[in-house]
């Protein structure tokens, strides 16, 4: 946080004793590179490259990036790693930095590939019922719980499949499909056919929320986002079917007189509203639904990359020139 009057910055106390958060300092790259392109001022580009260089010099436990980094000491905070909240978009932006650069930022691609390899080795597991999920690393062990936020990773794996090292493109497309299936199950196993905030994979319960404070749906987009990416890469009609199920459930259970509201318990047949329409509902959830039912030439992947809030940014076809800001888009 920054106080705009005094210029003083500070961190949240709950974030591992005032640490900076991986998904915050790691989710500036696309926007800052674009700013340098637009303005010709390298300051923005240099800031985000400095973050990348620092991270590359640090040791990573099991090859994983912890969610917390102490900005004063330059050391990691508690060793908690997540592909969901606090971590998610850091990994997304490594891949998208490469895509946005017209696949010339090979350093970003390599860092992404290494991170994904560690995630697959230490966090990706299959449940007894055959569902592939991504757990969270906490205090030296894997928590068999997946958050709704983590469901974006299905789309990320699919988006990153082309360009994977070796012959792993098919493998990552399949992993994306498995994550999409698991996240669809988290929706399908509720009363309202809308997914909970987080769901467990232990003691016989699979893809189901256990705690009351994890049973809410706040109009989140990540599952529909993954359906869209999977649709674009496979054209399997089930992804449109699943998206339509979600659209109908949102319309039936979330629509209120003034817009759309989140729901406190997706397992209750008499849902209570939280009386909030999150800004990402319009920016992401509805946009991804619209794109899911649109043709591939609307915002094609050859020309556009979506930032983590679903705002399309142009791929910079700069050839071998540096980011000067004077180079016209082709």
């Amino acid at each position: 946080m920054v106080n705009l009057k005094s210029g003083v910055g500070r961190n949240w106390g709950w974030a591992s004793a005032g640490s900076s958060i991986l998904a915050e300092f790691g989710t500036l790259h696309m926007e800052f590179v674009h700013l340098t392109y637009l303005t010709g001022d390298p300051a923005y580009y240099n800031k985000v490259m400095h973050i990348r260089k620092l991270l590359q010099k640090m040791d990573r436990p099991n090859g994983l990036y912890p969610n917390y980094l102490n900005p004063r000491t330059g050391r990691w905070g508690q060793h908690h790693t997540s592909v969901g909240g606090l971590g998610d978009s850091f990994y997304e932006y490594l891949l998208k930095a490469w895509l946005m650069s017209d696949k010339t930022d090979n350093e970003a691609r390599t860092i992404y590939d290494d991170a994904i390899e560690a995630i697959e080795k230490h966090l990706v597991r299959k449940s007894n019922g055959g569902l592939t999920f991504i757990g969270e690393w906490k205090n030296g062990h894997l928590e068999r719980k997946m958050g709704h936020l983590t469901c974006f990773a299905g789309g990320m794996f699919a988006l990153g499949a082309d360009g994977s090292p070796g012959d792993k493109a098919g493998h990552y497309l399949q992993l994306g499909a498995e994550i999409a299936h698991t996240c669809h199950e988290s929706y399908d196993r509720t009363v309202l056919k809308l997914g909970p905030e987080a769901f467990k994979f232990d003691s016989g319960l699979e893809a189901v929320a256990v705690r009351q404070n994890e049973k809410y749906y706040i109009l989140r987009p990540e599952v529909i986002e993954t359906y869209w990416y999977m649709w674009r890469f496979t054209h399997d009609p089930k992804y449109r079917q699943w998206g339509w199920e979600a659209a109908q459930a949102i319309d039936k259970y979330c629509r209120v007189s003034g817009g759309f509201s989140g729901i406190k318990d997706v397992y209750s047949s008499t849902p209570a509203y939280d009386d909030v329409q999150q800004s990402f509902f319009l920016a992401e959830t509805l946009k991804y639904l619209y794109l899911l039912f649109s043709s591939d030439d609307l915002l094609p992947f050859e020309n556009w990359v979506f930032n983590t809030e679903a705002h399309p940014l142009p791929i910079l076809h700069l050839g071998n020139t540096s980011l000067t800001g004077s180079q016209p888009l082709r």
Side-chain angles (χ1 to χ4, degrees):
M1 295 168 286
V2 179
N3 182 315
L4 297 179
K5 186 174 183 182
S6 66
V8 173
R10 68 184 185 88
N11 279 335
W12 297 104
W14 57 259
S16 189
S19 289
S20 298
I21 294 169
L22 183 67
E24 294 189 355
F25 63 76
T27 311
L28 302 167
H29 194 98
M30 295 177 72
E31 293 79 5
F32 276 43
V33 168
H34 193 69
L35 278 172
T36 283
Y37 169 76
L38 291 175
T39 63
D41 183 348
Y44 308 105
Y45 175 83
N46 291 340
K47 287 282 184 197
V48 287
M49 291 308 290
H50 175 69
I51 294 168
R52 182 191 292 181
K53 293 285 181 286
L54 276 181
L55 288 176
Q56 283 319 103
K57 281 193 284 196
M58 297 179 66
D59 284 331
R60 292 181 290 284
N62 292 326
L64 297 168
Y65 290 82
N67 289 342
Y68 302 110
L69 190 149
N70 187 307
R72 291 174 298 282
T73 65
R75 294 197 176 95
W76 296 117
Q78 64 196 77
H79 288 184
H80 172 198
T81 293
S82 170
V83 184
L86 307 179
D88 45 16
S89 44
F90 164 71
Y91 306 101
E92 175 189 357
Y93 269 37
L94 292 172
L95 173 61
K96 290 180 175 179
W98 176 69
L99 293 170
M100 191 177 171
S101 73
D102 205 15
K103 302 183 179 178
T104 59
D105 185 354
N106 292 317
E107 181 182 58
R109 178 75 219 204
T110 301
I111 300 169
Y112 169 78
D113 289 332
D114 291 347
I116 293 309
E117 191 178 330
I119 285 165
E120 197 171 5
K121 184 176 179 183
H122 298 288
L123 305 183
V124 175
R125 294 289 183 269
K126 208 168 215 113
S127 72
N128 293 336
L131 296 177
T132 302
F133 67 95
I134 307 174
E136 306 208 349
W137 192 262
K138 280 187 179 170
N139 307 320
H141 79 280
L142 186 72
E143 187 176 19
R144 296 172 63 87
K145 180 168 83 173
M146 185 167 175
H148 191 292
L149 290 164
T150 316
C151 285
F152 94 96
M156 178 179 72
F157 291 140
L159 184 63
D162 187 33
S164 295
D167 54 357
K168 297 191 82 172
H171 167 76
Y172 281 113
L173 192 60
Q174 175 63 24
L175 182 57
E178 290 175 16
I179 296 297
H181 172 67
T182 296
C183 293
H184 175 256
E185 285 298 307
S186 80
Y187 275 52
D188 207 43
R189 296 178 187 193
T190 71
V191 171
L192 305 186
K193 305 302 180 191
L194 292 168
E197 180 69 5
F199 40 96
K200 286 266 181 113
F201 294 90
D202 49 27
S203 63
L205 283 175
E206 298 199 352
V208 173
V210 177
R211 294 182 182 171
Q212 192 59 41
N213 66 357
E214 293 174 342
K215 293 181 177 179
Y216 59 86
Y217 173 69
I218 55 170
L219 308 169
R220 287 205 189 278
E222 293 78 20
V223 174
I224 292 162
E225 174 184 355
T226 278
Y227 294 165
W228 175 57
Y229 279 107
M230 292 308 302
W231 164 257
R232 277 276 176 109
F233 289 114
T234 69
H235 289 128
D236 185 327
K238 74 182 178 187
Y239 296 113
R240 281 186 164 174
Q241 179 59 41
W242 293 352
W244 186 236
E245 288 170 12
Q248 288 180 300
I250 289 167
D251 193 50
K252 184 173 181 180
Y253 296 113
C254 301
R255 186 190 281 273
V256 292
S257 60
F260 290 81
S261 169
I263 281 170
K264 291 179 181 177
D265 185 348
V266 292
Y267 301 95
S268 167
S269 54
T270 53
Y273 298 120
D274 66 10
D275 200 25
V276 177
Q277 179 175 303
Q278 304 281 345
S279 60
F280 52 68
F281 177 65
L282 297 177
E284 298 185 74
T285 312
L286 292 186
K287 187 185 292 168
Y288 284 130
L289 272 172
Y290 185 80
L291 286 164
L292 176 59
F293 295 98
S294 301
S295 64
D296 293 0
D297 58 7
L298 178 62
L299 296 167
F301 289 155
E302 303 88 76
N303 299 326
W304 300 96
V305 185
F306 286 72
N307 83 347
T308 194
E309 301 299 324
H311 303 301
L313 289 170
I315 288 175
L316 301 176
H317 300 289
L318 299 178
N320 294 319
T321 59
S322 59
L323 286 164
T324 60
S326 59
Q327 183 76 20
L329 278 175
R330 291 206 300 274

